[in-house]
Amino acid sequence: MLDAAVAGFARHGYRSASMDDIAEAAGVSKPLVYQYLHSKEDLFTACIAREAAALSAAVHEGTREQAASADQQLWNGLCAFFAHTAAHPDGWAVLSQQARTEGEPFARAVSEMRAELVALVTRLIGRAARDAGCDEDLVDREVSGLAHALAGAAESLADWANSRTEDRPSAKETAATLMHFCWTGLESLMKGGRWTPSGR
């Protein structure tokens, strides 16, 4: 039932998705859908909760190797993120597009998942910065912002990768694109390199 609902919401959007069509796709009667999930809002909420939990679990599983270096853990987590969003494009569309545009309480559930993942990235970048001997003021001041930027870039890249009908990159290729973009700069920052506008 939830599989059919996720596909329906991803394809048609929350407002246009039909409970009749969802029930038919699930092979059940419409009254049965309402028996378990009393409204379309409840059904959409259940879809968001399931998809958010599955994505979060995939990323945490990817980063669970505690003995790995921080950049290796981040790489593993990004590979897991992009593998999951590629394997579950409808679920990702519900989270990244539908839930966020429908307001509360749907957007809040996605924000909570995102905050959890940003906290994980913050810990990894912070650990890497401290391991590199970065100034604690730098760590406290900038790591959280960098983690938010990386999370936003990952979300945008997942949308980009899933939208490609030809020459679609693999999860590892997409993760490598983001690591090339972010980690090279992070390494320079950890070594004391700072960007300044040209001509100054």
Side-chain angles (χ1 to χ4, degrees), residues 6-114:
V6 167
F9 288 131
R11 190 172 301 114
H12 303 294
Y14 171 65
R15 297 184 186 279
S16 298
S18 161
M19 294 291 275
D20 287 313
D21 291 343
I22 290 171
E24 182 178 352
V28 299
S29 66
K30 185 176 176 181
L32 185 62
V33 176
Y34 280 109
Q35 179 179 338
Y36 287 99
L37 296 149
H38 304 105
S39 66
K40 185 159 80 166
E41 179 178 332
D42 287 345
L43 180 58
F44 193 47
T45 298
C47 290
I48 294 168
R50 188 187 77 164
E51 298 306 314
L55 178 55
S56 181
V59 174
H60 279 87
E61 176 64 20
T63 60
R64 70 183 174 85
E65 189 181 349
Q66 298 299 317
S69 61
D71 63 324
Q72 183 65 50
Q73 279 189 287
L74 182 60
W75 161 254
N76 292 342
L78 288 174
C79 286
F81 175 83
F82 290 122
H84 186 89
T85 54
H88 304 88
D90 288 343
W92 176 242
V94 165
L95 293 176
S96 68
Q97 298 166 26
Q98 302 302 327
R100 287 180 171 170
T101 60
E102 291 300 330
E104 300 297 349
F106 311 127
R108 186 186 323 122
V110 177
S111 294
E112 289 171 355
M113 176 203 70
R114 189 178 195 275

